[in-house]
Amino acid sequence: MGMKAMGWRRGGHGVVGRMGWMWVLVGKLNGDVVVKCNTSEQRVTWTQNGDPEPMAELVAEGQTLTILGLDLPATGNYSCWAGTVLLDTTYVVVSGPPPPGEKGMNVSCQAESYRGSFHCSWTGPRSSVFRARLTRSDGSLGEWVPAAGRRGRFSASFADPSFCPFAEELRPLQLHLEGLSDTSYLNFSIRFFVRDIVRPDPPQELTVQRRGEQLHLAWAPPASWPLPKSYFALLYRLQYELPNGTQVDKYVEGAEETWTQERVQRVRISCQDPYANPAWSPWSAWQDVDAAQQRQLQAH
């Protein structure tokens, strides 16, 4: 099932859309739905999912078929025939219930910086296909983006070319998701600000040098983090592991180096935007202090 070129219009007791070569009719749960056969034939027969005797309660009249009290067993592929000749096909689904609150179907979006690009993921029925569209920060509509899906988990990536990282966000972005499963049509939206979904990449180039009784640590911001540093500051969190296994955190803001007199076995680092206060970045890999010292001695 694909969602190529899907556009919706109001039809008989439902919403009709084109999906590839097939018509899709979305009806309300327990409502009546009228399926039309696109033919000049006056006498046609109907099948549901290939079955000439559907379990659904149906009323056939000329080129139309009325499904009474649409429920999940009544959904599926309705085909009209003239003898053994297939005339037309319509896929009937139920309009899914609205998702609870703003959370939608467990939608999660994340941006690695303020460059206006981000990635979203959500859950849905395993049989679903989804597409997504972004209403940008300037109010314009983006193109529909097909979502990748596997085992009920779906995702898509977006970019807002009108997003300005130096400007205050006055209007939230809106993400609209539209999905189709073998029984249901799903349609919902969420709104968010980029500042609320930023999670930086880990800091890079962490180096450790022992100088006498002290340990000098230096690092660089994530390669994906925007410049200048004076505007896009980062708060760094270093985690030391001591010989007895205890882990100690140290926070550094406005600098990319620090000293410690702790007897440290290994260290790792993460970062955060201190002003928007979003999530911390993932941790960098552990850096073994003795191994780092040995590498530096070999390099010299």
Side-chain angles (χ1 to χ4, degrees):
M1 188 183 295
M3 296 187 72
K4 181 181 179 182
M6 183 183 291
W8 301 100
R9 61 178 173 81
R10 188 67 54 181
H13 299 277
V15 179
V16 183
R18 191 78 177 180
M19 187 183 69
W21 55 272
M22 189 189 315
W23 286 105
V24 177
L25 178 59
V26 181
K28 292 183 179 180
L29 185 64
N30 299 321
D32 295 345
V33 175
V34 178
V35 183
K36 295 182 179 180
C37 183
N38 184 22
T39 180
S40 59
E41 295 282 344
Q42 295 302 309
R43 298 186 54 146
V44 300
T45 58
W46 293 87
T47 61
Q48 179 200 10
N49 299 324
D51 188 349
E53 297 183 4
M55 296 296 293
E57 188 175 354
L58 307 174
V59 177
E61 184 178 348
Q63 300 164 337
T64 64
L65 180 74
T66 302
I67 305 171
L68 302 176
L70 179 66
D71 57 11
L72 293 182
T75 61
N77 191 13
Y78 284 83
S79 299
C80 55
W81 303 77
T84 60
V85 179
L86 176 62
L87 302 174
D88 197 15
T89 295
T90 300
Y91 202 91
V92 178
V93 294
V94 173
S95 178
E102 274 291 303
K103 293 184 179 179
M105 299 181 72
N106 298 319
V107 180
S108 173
C109 294
Q110 184 175 309
E112 62 186 22
S113 73
Y114 292 97
R115 301 183 191 276
S117 59
F118 56 93
H119 185 80
C120 295
S121 60
W122 61 93
T123 57
R126 289 194 173 202
S127 63
S128 301
V129 288
F130 278 91
R131 66 177 186 172
R133 185 162 69 172
L134 182 68
T135 302
R136 304 185 182 110
S137 52
D138 63 357
S140 63
L141 281 174
E143 298 292 327
W144 283 108
V145 175
R150 185 181 181 189
R151 297 179 181 176
R153 191 73 189 174
F154 303 88
S155 62
S157 296
F158 307 89
D160 180 2
S162 65
F163 185 82
C164 177
F166 298 97
E168 182 182 358
E169 285 185 272
L170 301 176
R171 180 188 306 194
L173 303 178
Q174 178 172 321
L175 180 65
H176 183 70
L177 302 176
E178 187 177 73
L180 193 65
S181 74
D182 51 2
T183 61
S184 303
Y185 169 70
L186 306 165
N187 181 17
F188 56 95
S189 298
I190 60 168
R191 291 179 173 85
F192 56 88
F193 291 99
V194 170
R195 62 175 178 262
D196 294 329
I197 65 168
V198 167
R199 188 189 189 196
D201 287 333
Q204 57 181 348
E205 301 174 12
L206 175 62
T207 60
V208 182
Q209 288 185 322
R210 193 176 297 280
R211 298 179 182 174
E213 295 297 316
Q214 289 192 317
L215 201 63
H216 178 255
L217 300 101
W219 58 88
S224 58
W225 196 248
L227 297 174
K229 298 177 185 178
S230 58
Y231 191 86
F232 297 101
L234 283 170
L235 173 65
Y236 295 97
R237 177 175 60 174
L238 292 130
Q239 189 170 79
Y240 306 139
E241 187 172 279
L242 307 183
N244 64 2
T246 302
Q247 293 180 348
V248 178
D249 288 351
K250 179 178 181 178
Y251 296 88
V252 178
E253 185 174 356
E256 293 169 12
E257 64 175 351
T258 190
W259 296 82
T260 182
Q261 292 183 322
E262 298 273 7
R263 293 183 59 199
V264 177
Q265 279 198 319
R266 58 179 187 166
V267 62
R268 61 181 181 174
I269 188 170
S270 68
C271 61
Q272 178 198 63
D273 182 338
Y275 302 114
N277 199 30
W280 284 95
S281 78
W283 286 106
S284 68
W286 281 107
Q287 182 84 268
D288 187 278
V289 173
D290 292 335
Q293 285 294 106
Q294 190 64 34
R295 286 194 299 270
Q296 289 162 11
L297 289 173
Q298 292 173 354
H300 294 290

